[in-house]
């Protein structure tokens, strides 16, 4: 029995790159947090402290900033593809590079009804995400792109039930035919190709997710999530798989009866913790293997 | 020399009240965090543990939720005025009640271009705030209302200089004639009256703040803040005083020259800490005394 | 009626200075976040964008780091006094300088029962704080020092009651003779002198606060706070005033009776929000005026 | 090509259970955040909104609180094993239950040098973690236990080098033979058995991790992590695999030379972002398959 090194990776996390396009008086802004992680032949660094194969994380940082100019930073998926390919193609010991990006959206301020050329407020709604994995060179090259969003807080004040559920001796919950349903959605969608109009696709998928949440009469959050994923797959053939994670942000009807005040689904307490947490995957039955597409850098290896 | 009890207050903080208006199929939502704090004759509670004068913080909570129905929750300033007056008028030992509110805005989702009746996404931009202080009864009644916002993240990619500053032996900073200027604005405005169209005034003040940030050619954040405050006072006679707190969220131009890459104000690093922090008050020279208007419950007494 | 500039200040917030003493193999570490804020003759910066009187916030940062070596960083109160005095004494337009410091404590790791020379874990308990205000020069010089702590999470599982309180129509709370009492304490103590053994005093005051919380049989958090403040004043003649802010971190007894399980004050739910918030000042009746001692830079001006 | 439901799970996250043992005047406290997640035959809930197989997340919450009394809450691993087994054994559609726990440690306050019976301060250092997965019934039963910790902030002020690394055109970093090395460690250790003295093992593993960080002369964080994992495996035969995730919390030597001040590794800036992020697995080469042991509920399914 001997002790061995298992999976490992390293990189630079949360580089805060802001790119201004100022070729005309009407500037553009792209604001991201980008993390890069490399896997490959780094055993000697772990076993012997030998850094010969280790490209410093500082170098990865420099590259991330420089590529915002060299390659541009328009669609985060393209930027991530360029950056990941660079590490695999130019750093010999690297077998796989992963680039994870969060993009913070800005919207132009309106002055007398017109969009301003160079002033924005942070939109503050959901964060757009992308995770790009590039593995191997030449004929062995494989690429996975996962688009996504997080922190999309969405609520419907009716059109949601929860009833007919299983009961056991610990079950106190009463069924309800009309409740507030709210979540802070995290979603990821795995592309089956890189030949994608990234911007239109992002906007379109977000719209589908939101529309389904609004218009599906919900018998449970599970059902809503499935219908959201299904609709994305139907509308966007470039997507092979959708994963959804939805905390059930409980809004408890507040009991005002002790004060002689009626409360017909009007006053709620928005609770912090605990919360339900529902997660689902919806995919094409012939989707290619996900490989490392979903191996987030924020977890353990 | 003896030891005495000084200023003190107590209350319930961060009640998360959500109010749905559902009188028609087109629901309305108001989502707040409300804190209440009472000052008055509570010495015996401190000195002797006697709670006879102490209305429980739990009672304050119940009242906050019930008033969302009894009084309504349309404008947070009115809701806060009702709640603060209630405590002063009905709880004998209370001399002063303060109600601090944060409101989280929601916007209707669009389905096929139409606003949905009962589904929203959290807007996620700035948080609207109000702080209401009510003191005394009858002829001694005094009232202060401070409206405000926080977390309004705003950025301009040009139109900002910083030069001609004082220098000392620790000064390394180079002057610049074109920089990114960004902040996460906190602002408060003290009203000179309660006869106010709270909604229109909030929207109007926010618009003035944003417009000034965008259109004033900035020689320093100090100047921008002053021009923001001044414009609010000029446009809204109901406002006596404006206070502004603006972290200078530094965006450092990234040096790409080692890589032979030009960077003409295009690629920046958005730094977290430290940050500049600029604060200014702008007021009418005949503004009434601010009294306890600005004594935030989040600080020490 | 005209518009004027009111109180204002500016500075650099949250400089993360770490100072290692390595004069012997047994190193020492001091780890702080320091913010500096200047008040003075800065009207022209606000009114006209003229920076002639404005020492850049970057310069304040450089000074904060350099003073960690030049003046040393042993007691944060002394470091803050040096830094604040420097700005008032050497920057002509500055009338008042305020330095706010948070110190993060580290403790040596134990290896085979012995303290290691140069490895520590962050202690992670309370954060020590200091706020130093220096005003004027020469004969007009005035100085205020406030020591303190925050985030000291403390809990007692018995020895706390809450009963005999005022009741109104919104009162549902039941009295209790035995509850969990927990808080995350913020405390500040204003010194009447700068001739203080800062380290021993900090340790001593913290011990008094903790002891009183533990040993006073509590009839209400108000009473506990008062007894904490009183005991500090009695034990430390160098302290003129104590301010305490204590969220009542509610631990609700969990109702297990539906499952036939007894719960004799054994299983609780620790709630996040809302929370009670109790604040009190205890001081000597002949304490000198607090002046700007408590004007925190984290609030509005 | 058709659309199908893939992996899914649901549960209640972040139940904040506090358990007091008060059988003698010397109370004991255990303070946890526990999340439960179930996998199984829930397709009809997703596909048709049929909740017949769905035990509500509220029921999972009730069970988590009740088990703190019924089963006790001494070692989080045992509590988690009981809770997970309960769901698999009593809820027919459940195939797998996962329980994730964070434990917040408290230490008794000292009064006149003696530990107090019922008052504690939150220790505030690392958070202890456990993740228990129970799958199947009877002969098919499989169980995985992962112990761990997170947020252990540890720093050494010397004994760390970084040199001899790979260089490319984006490499600006200079080698160093003496730097501050600091991290906020997350670690998990997978047990090969449930016949473990959980408390002694936790304390022992933490001590090994800390000792190795302190005493291994570090040529890179990779090497330090490997030596930490290796030492745990050697000292604790009940552990099959260790995973480590270590942000390199950069401490940059501050350049004081412009001020004529020497800085011989004495004054540093502690940076927030970006940070290096190094992750490694160390395991026995004959370790059983990890199965779902590491599938964290905080990620996507």
């Amino acid at each position: 029995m001997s002790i061995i090194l298992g999976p490992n990776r390293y990189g630079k996390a949360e580089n805060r790159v802001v790119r201004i396009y100022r070729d005309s008086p009407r500037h553009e802004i792209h604001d991201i947090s980008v993390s890069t992680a490399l896997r490959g032949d780094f055993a000697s660094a772990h076993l012997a402290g030998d850094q010969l194969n280790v490209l410093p994380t500082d170098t990865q940082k420099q590259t991330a900033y420089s590529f915002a100019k060299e390659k541009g930073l328009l669609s985060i998926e393209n930027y991530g593809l360029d950056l990941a390919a660079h590490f695999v193609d130019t750093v010999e010991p690297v077998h796989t590079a992963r680039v994870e990006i969060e993009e913070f959206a800005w919207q132009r301020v309106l002055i007398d009804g017109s969009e301003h050329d160079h002033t924005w407020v942070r939109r503050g709604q959901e964060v757009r995400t992308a995770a790009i994995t590039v593995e191997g060179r030449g004929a062995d090259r494989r690429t996975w792109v996962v688009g996504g969003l997080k922190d999309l807080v969405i609520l419907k004040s009716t059109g949601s039930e929860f009833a007919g559920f299983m009961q056991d001796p610990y079950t106190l919950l009463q069924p309800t035919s009309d409740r507030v349903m709210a979540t802070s959605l995290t979603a990821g969608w795995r592309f089956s190709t890189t030949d994608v109009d990234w911007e239109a696709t992002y906007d379109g998928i977000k719209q589908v997710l939101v529309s389904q949440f609004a218009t599906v009469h919900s018998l449970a959050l599970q059902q809503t999530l499935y219908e959201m994923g299904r609709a994305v797959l139907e509308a966007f053939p470039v997507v092979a798989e959708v994963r959804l994670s939805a905390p059930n942000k409980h809004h408890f009807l507040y009991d005002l009866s002790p004060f002689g005040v009626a409360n017909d689904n009007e006053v709620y307490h928005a609770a912090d913790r605990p919360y339900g947490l529902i997660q689902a995957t919806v995919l094409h039955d012939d989707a290619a293997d996900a490989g490392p597409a979903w191996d987030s850098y924020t977890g353990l290896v």
Side-chain angles (χ1 to χ4, degrees), chain A:
Chain A
M1 186 186 77
S2 71
I3 293 170
I4 58 172
L5 177 69
N8 60 87
R9 62 184 163 186
Y10 80 102
K12 192 69 110 191
E14 300 190 42
N15 297 285
R16 290 284 291 106
V17 180
V18 175
R19 173 69 156 99
I20 306 291
Y21 283 88
R22 41 194 298 149
D23 309 302
S24 82
R26 186 178 168 88
H27 293 188
E28 303 284 341
I29 184 169
H30 292 270
D31 179 3
I32 66 168
S33 174
V34 54
S35 302
T36 60
L38 308 180
R39 293 180 191 257
D41 182 11
F42 305 121
S44 62
H46 291 86
L47 302 180
D50 177 351
Q51 306 305 311
L52 200 62
N53 275 2
V54 174
L55 189 74
T57 66
D58 185 79
T59 301
Q60 297 179 42
K61 175 182 75 170
Q62 307 291 354
T63 313
Y65 282 89
S66 195
F67 268 42
K69 179 66 191 295
E70 292 183 58
K71 305 291 184 176
L73 181 46
L74 291 169
S75 291
I76 54 175
E77 291 87 354
N78 280 338
Y79 168 81
L81 283 164
D82 284 334
L83 196 53
H86 164 81
F87 291 122
V88 175
D89 289 338
T90 71
V91 186
E92 201 283 328
V94 172
H95 299 167
T96 306
R98 183 173 178 90
V99 178
E100 296 186 358
I101 304 173
E102 300 184 346
E103 179 165 26
F104 313 109
W106 294 82
Q107 66 186 49
R108 290 179 192 279
V109 303
L110 295 177
I111 310 295
D112 299 330
S114 297
E115 293 184 344
H116 196 262
D117 271 351
H118 60 257
T119 306
W120 303 262
V121 288
R122 185 126 148 203
R123 208 150 61 84
Q125 219 166 88
E126 90 280 2
V127 173
R128 178 174 169 179
T129 60
I132 292 92
T133 312
V134 172
E135 181 186 285
R137 301 190 191 98
D140 295 329
R141 170 65 53 94
R142 294 192 67 190
T143 298
W144 294 267
V145 179
V146 174
L149 56 79
K150 66 175 193 176
D151 302 339
L152 181 67
V153 182
I154 187 166
L155 177 150
K156 62 194 298 185
S157 55
T158 189
S160 168
E161 310 183 21
F162 190 62
F165 42 78
M166 174 172 282
Q167 310 222 9
D168 78 357
Y170 295 97
T171 302
L172 304 178
L173 190 73
Q174 296 301 308
T176 177
S177 61
D178 191 1
R179 63 172 182 173
V180 166
M181 187 165 76
T183 191
S184 174
L185 186 69
T186 300
W189 40 89
R190 178 162 59 97
F191 291 98
S192 52
T193 170
T194 56
D195 183 15
V196 177
D197 179 341
W198 305 113
E199 300 312 298
T201 303
Y202 179 82
D203 293 341
I205 290 176
K206 181 186 164 188
Q207 181 57 36
V208 168
L209 293 172
V210 163
S211 292
Q212 291 292 94
F213 185 92
T215 59
V216 171
H217 181 85
S218 179
L219 301 176
L221 192 40
Q222 279 91 334
Q223 177 205 24
T224 294
L225 293 184
Y226 181 77
E227 292 301 324
M228 291 162 80
R230 189 182 58 76
V232 169
L233 289 169
E234 289 182 350
F236 295 90
V238 291
V239 175
E241 178 187 12
V242 178
R243 297 195 182 184
L244 299 148
S245 180
N248 190 341
K249 294 171 71 78
H250 302 305
H251 286 66
F252 294 114
L253 195 64
Y254 207 89
D255 181 8
L256 302 178
S257 63
F259 321 127
V261 176
N263 184 7
D264 181 19
N265 285 355
E266 294 166 294
V267 178
Y268 293 88
H269 169 63
D272 294 306
R273 294 191 295 183
Y275 51 92
L277 182 54
I278 319 297
Q279 299 180 325
T281 308
V282 191
L283 71 168
H284 285 301
D285 61 359
D286 64 350
D289 176 48
W294 301 98
D295 293 350
S296 169
Y297 192 27
T298 58
L300 289 169
V301 171

